[in-house]
Amino acid sequence: MKADIHPDYHLIDVKLTDGTVYQMKSTWGKEGDTLTLDIDPTVHPAWTGGTSRLLDTGGRVSKFKNKYAGLGF
């Protein structure tokens, strides 16, 4: 392995939106820096199973439902 080609891998603190702080290894920043997250697994709908609404722009959803109504959609 070549010397001095890899970034420094060190411990940093990661602060979640609720104030919880985790310590993990990263190449981000310097040893002991704090990375503050705006969106994290505790609040993001992708991880929390949040609800999302399907917006019917221009009646596209209605047209689809009418066109394929007999197929059980």
Side-chain angles (χ1 to χ4, degrees):
M1 200 160 95
K2 292 183 181 179
D4 300 327
I5 64 167
H6 297 286
D8 181 33
Y9 195 57
H10 50 270
L11 285 172
I12 64 165
D13 294 328
V14 177
K15 185 176 181 182
L16 302 181
T17 56
D18 65 354
T20 308
V21 177
Y22 292 99
Q23 197 173 49
M24 59 181 53
K25 288 193 164 223
S26 175
T27 58
W28 180 85
K30 295 178 285 195
E31 179 84 25
D33 282 353
T34 300
L35 174 65
T36 304
L37 300 178
D38 294 329
I39 298 174
D40 60 51
T42 60
V43 296
H44 196 279
W47 289 286
T48 60
T51 59
S52 62
R53 293 182 353 167
L54 182 60
L55 298 177
D56 190 5
T57 55
R60 292 182 185 156
V61 174
S62 300
K63 287 178 189 176
F64 178 84
K65 286 183 177 180
N66 291 338
K67 184 174 181 180
Y68 297 106
L71 297 176
F73 286 116

